[in-house]
Amino acid sequence: MAKPKGETYYMKRYNIAVIEGDGIGPEIVAEAKKVLDAVSYNEGFELEYKEYLMGGCAIDACGTPLPDETLRGALSADAVLFGAIGGDKWNSLPREKRPESGLLALRKGLEVFANLRPVKVYDELLEASTLKKDVIKGVDILVVRELIGGIYFGEPRGREGDRAFNTMVYSESEVERIAKVAFEAAMKRGKKVCSVDKANVLDVSQLWREVVTKVSKEYPNVELVHMYVDNAAMQLIANPRQFDVIVTGNLFGDILSDEASMLSGSIGLLPSASIGGRAAIYEPIHGSAPDIAGQGIANPIATISSASMMLKYSLGEEKAAKKIDKAVAKALKDGYRTKDISNYDAKDICSTEEMGSIIADLISKG
Ligand code: NAD
């Protein structure tokens, strides 16, 4: 955007904490930044990036998966853009010292209790899924996963002799706030919420079901159904179009959203936003993919789409977010494919870097 002549010109500036992490993290975050730079230039705002360590690279550099400086930086940022953490190198460490503990502590520290994971099937990629086209065409689901409670955080946990245990615990207020996020989202979408639990077996799920039902009374225009998690896992594959918003706990949401990612063709396509706290975190739903790290073949679209969610949810730059989404769809429509989605008529197999540049160029050219 050109600077207007003869006027004092104030450019909007946002402070973004960037955490590349491990494995493919640095490769995919670089492409998201490239795309963000193109769109911010285009739309007349500035992004100031501050880089922080977390995960395995932080363990190597500072001896801890979440250095204080990283948490402080994230707390003072307008938003956090994150790649992924983890890898075999750190797998033998005790749980508290492992890379994943850094991410859990960051989520907890920022109090981001709601993880939004949109699952959309691009028409251009109908062939990339292992499922039949007529089953997945038109799928548009939002998984709302509770992120800082449940079995990943419950106490007591640990090991005693030949036993190991974790505790799945939710309070009414924790369920109420995540249910509200789901119903609010449904109001702006297809007005349907499916709450997933295991209420036929777990006490914690019975409480979950009661509270979600109570919250639903505030949203008479939204249809609520309850589904057991085992059935939901099956229904996602059998008839995914029945779902609009799925709300569920931390563990079930983790598993179901990975499953749902395969509707779209690759885990490398799906973004996420973790919101509700002091600064939101935007990250792909996949991990650090050590099996392909350093090869330049990772799909950066999940991270680029996460950057789009950041513009929309944290910075209020909706127009810029739409430009990214449009450019991603156009790149796919034009036949550009990274290796993970290239099992048919790809124009060319793109590297991570090429895919980022194609999307950034589409934005720059308008
Ligand atoms: P993963 O998501 O890293 O990889 C699963 C499979 O998907 C692999 O075959 C990988 O190559 C592929 N894949 C993932 N992202 C891709 C992309 N952008 N493009 C193309 N292919 C992609 O899961 P995993 O292998 O179970 O875990 C690897 C490491 O990541 C572990 O240390 C795990 O703890 C960690 N992890 C981190 C996060 C996170 O940082 N949020 C999430 C899940 C797993």
Side-chain angles (χ1 to χ4, degrees), residues 73-340:
L75 281 166
S76 64
D78 291 313
V80 180
L81 181 65
F82 166 51
I85 43 99
D88 290 348
K89 182 177 172 193
W90 305 282
N91 275 354
S92 55
L93 293 171
R95 184 182 135 142
E96 295 72 30
K97 300 217 161 101
R98 285 176 54 148
E100 293 77 6
S101 301
L103 178 57
L104 294 187
L106 179 73
R107 289 171 176 166
K108 195 85 176 171
L110 292 179
E111 297 165 49
V112 285
F113 68 86
N115 184 231
L116 310 183
R117 298 183 164 197
V119 182
K120 251 191 180 165
V121 175
Y122 292 97
D123 276 351
E124 295 75 25
L125 290 181
L126 282 172
E127 306 277 353
S129 175
T130 48
L131 299 173
K132 286 186 185 142
K133 275 196 259 183
D134 54 336
V135 172
I136 55 169
K137 190 169 169 49
V139 162
D140 182 0
I141 302 171
L142 179 69
V143 180
V144 177
R145 168 188 168 198
E146 200 290 326
L147 201 59
I148 56 173
I151 197 164
Y152 289 3
F153 290 93
E155 297 286 346
R157 65 180 175 82
R159 298 183 74 132
E160 256 174 28
D162 63 354
R163 294 169 65 241
F165 47 92
N166 293 86
T167 305
M168 190 186 273
V169 56
Y170 274 116
S171 66
E172 282 186 21
S173 62
E174 283 175 318
V175 182
E176 198 177 302
R177 66 183 184 178
I178 193 73
K180 282 189 173 160
V181 170
F183 281 99
E184 291 292 334
M187 289 290 285
K188 297 184 194 133
R189 296 173 41 101
K191 299 195 170 52
K192 276 164 65 178
V193 169
C194 174
S195 173
V196 173
D197 61 37
K198 189 70 184 165
N200 50 342
V201 179
L202 302 174
D203 298 288
V204 64
S205 282
Q206 282 162 10
L207 175 96
W208 179 281
R209 198 172 270 224
E210 281 163 30
V211 176
V212 173
T213 305
K214 195 175 85 193
V215 171
S216 74
K217 309 289 182 222
E218 295 168 35
Y219 300 88
N221 296 330
V222 178
E223 177 196 317
L224 169 67
V225 294
H226 299 280
M227 202 177 273
Y228 298 135
V229 64
D230 38 356
N231 186 26
M234 185 182 78
Q235 294 295 336
L236 262 177
I237 300 299
N239 178 17
R241 270 197 304 268
Q242 71 185 283
F243 296 108
D244 174 27
V245 174
I246 294 176
V247 63
T248 190
N250 207 342
L251 172 64
F252 300 156
D254 198 358
I255 298 165
L256 290 181
S257 50
D258 268 29
E259 184 191 354
S261 75
M262 283 321 291
L263 302 171
S264 74
S266 170
I267 197 167
L269 292 167
L270 294 196
S272 85
S274 302
I275 62 165
R278 295 167 66 182
I281 308 173
Y282 298 88
E283 57 172 305
I285 76 156
H286 58 73
S288 59
D291 53 334
I292 57 167
Q295 298 176 31
I297 59 171
N299 189 341
I301 290 181
T303 318
I304 291 170
S305 298
S306 303
S308 160
M309 291 182 88
M310 175 178 90
L311 294 177
K312 182 173 164 188
Y313 289 106
S314 281
L315 310 185
E317 297 286 353
E318 283 220 25
K319 204 169 144 217
K322 280 198 182 125
K323 279 192 175 176
I324 294 183
D325 298 345
K326 219 174 116 196
V328 168
K330 176 87 168 73
L332 294 174
K333 192 160 186 243
D334 289 350
Y336 295 105
R337 303 280 184 271
T338 41
K339 190 158 178 261
D340 55 314

